[in-house]
Amino acid sequence: MKPRAREILRVERLSKTFGRVPACSTVSFSLRQGEVLGIVGESGSGKSTLLRCLAGRIQPDEGKVLVASDDHVVDIWAMDEASREQFLPTTASLIHQNPRDGLRLDISAGGNIAEPLMAAGGRHYGSLRATALEWLEKVDIEGWRIDDLPEIFSGGMQQRLQIARGLATHPRLVLMDEPTGGLDVSVQAKLLDLLRGLVRELGIAVVVVTHDIGVARLLADRLMVMQRGRVIEEGLTDQVLDDPHHPYTQLLVSSVLQV
Ligand code: ADP
Ligand code: MG
């Protein structure tokens, strides 16, 4: 029997309330290497809040976010801020819906890829540039654009560059918030193909948040459905989408079929 892949992330009873809004309520799940977990739910259901708690951006009120390190497990919200800020950038990447939130628009495309590599200890100019070129190729951006500013790229290219910047340091965990959300449908389809290929090739653990059931079906092995901050259904993607049990999931799935 094949040994089970290593657990990369475990979330235990995570909760975050804004004022009186329980954005995220006692959410628990775990994720193994090579696995893609989709989080679906309508706007306001708490998907981004959950993801931002996992990425170290919002401190939860309660609960644990346990992330695998080289030889032990780290509870990111039990660490002091300085250790968390040192640990997370090389371990977990957050890919934003709007590439402008995840890129440095004032430095070149190559610089955008090299910057996190340098933060992780890369020093040699030639090898940083070679790695940046490799990554541009992986995300279908022509190498001659390496010195261009991302400002002049199309939305689809900016998103591909953000993905290259996020993956180049080989994080073991990648957190994506509506990665295809702001793009035209034809550009979305190409980007989804690219993401699928990269996830397979790199064997990373991914949490992908989307309100788009089509995106979830294409990318995710497992799904969690959120409503008002709670996980109301979860399972293998095909199972959840082909035989939804909760009335809210049934509504989500059927509203897609009608379009
Ligand atoms: P989703 O990503 O599923 O659309 P969010 O996580 O953005 O959902 O939001 C969940 C709930 O938390 C919503 O009711 C939203 O208005 C509220 N919320 C999110 N962020 C904040 C914030 N910074 N301040 C106050 N309320 C917030
Ligand atoms: Mg959101």
Side-chain angles (χ1 to χ4, degrees):
M1 218 168 89
K2 233 170 62 173
R4 293 196 74 186
R6 180 174 182 215
E7 194 173 75
I8 297 295
L9 170 69
R10 188 188 307 173
V11 176
E12 292 178 358
R13 299 185 65 77
L14 198 79
S15 299
K16 173 72 192 173
T17 299
F18 292 110
R20 295 170 63 186
V21 180
C24 185
S25 280
T26 59
V27 173
S28 300
F29 66 91
S30 78
L31 183 70
R32 290 179 184 277
Q33 188 168 13
E35 228 182 351
V36 181
L37 174 71
I39 300 181
V40 297
E42 66 190 4
S43 174
S45 55
K47 306 181 300 294
S48 294
T49 302
L50 171 60
L51 209 66
R52 296 173 72 80
C53 289
L54 308 184
R57 308 291 174 100
I58 295 181
Q59 177 152 21
D61 300 327
E62 277 173 64
K64 286 185 181 168
V65 176
L66 303 164
V67 180
S69 173
D70 286 335
D71 49 6
H72 59 297
V73 171
V74 171
D75 178 352
I76 66 162
W77 289 109
M79 303 168 101
D80 61 68
E81 196 177 336
S83 315
R84 186 167 52 248
E85 278 173 10
Q86 199 182 13
F87 173 72
L88 279 179
T90 52
T91 311
S93 271
L94 179 62
I95 308 288
H96 301 262
Q97 170 172 355
N98 185 345
R100 305 176 77 90
D101 295 333
L103 288 174
R104 286 273 309 271
L105 294 171
D106 56 335
I107 61 174
S108 66
N112 265 281
I113 300 172
E115 191 182 54
L117 292 168
M118 283 161 65
R123 285 290 171 266
H124 185 258
Y125 176 81
S127 65
L128 287 170
R129 196 169 169 90
T131 308
L133 261 178
E134 255 170 54
W135 271 96
L136 287 176
E137 194 179 315
K138 269 191 205 292
V139 298
D140 291 334
I141 296 176
E142 290 171 276
W144 63 268
R145 313 226 47 172
I146 189 166
D147 295 316
D148 286 353
L149 292 179
E151 188 79 76
I152 60 170
F153 287 180
S154 68
M157 275 170 80
Q158 287 181 350
Q159 192 56 303
R160 296 201 301 278
L161 181 62
Q162 188 194 185
I163 288 161
R165 175 178 163 94
L167 298 189
T169 51
H170 294 287
R172 37 171 78 88
L173 177 62
V174 178
L175 307 164
M176 303 183 187
D177 197 353
E178 310 267 7
T180 61
L183 304 170
D184 293 344
V185 174
S186 63
V187 179
Q188 274 188 26
K190 261 186 77 179
L191 187 71
L192 274 174
D193 266 355
L194 179 84
L195 278 176
R196 244 154 66 114
L198 285 174
V199 166
R200 292 240 173 85
E201 180 191 330
L202 303 170
I204 36 182
V206 179
V207 180
V208 57
V209 156
T210 177
H211 67 277
D212 184 333
I213 300 285
V215 170
R217 195 185 283 276
L218 271 173
L219 284 182
D221 305 310
R222 275 192 302 134
L223 279 190
M224 270 184 3
V225 183
M226 287 184 72
Q227 183 190 32
R228 280 185 245 112
R230 288 188 179 277
V231 176
I232 52 152
E233 184 157 358
E234 59 182 306
L236 296 174
T237 301
D238 290 346
Q239 238 166 39
V240 172
L241 296 182
D242 296 340
D243 183 22
H245 286 197
H246 194 286
Y248 176 74
T249 318
Q250 289 166 358
L251 199 69
L252 267 186
V253 174
S254 67
S255 61
V256 170
L257 293 178
Q258 282 162 17
V259 229

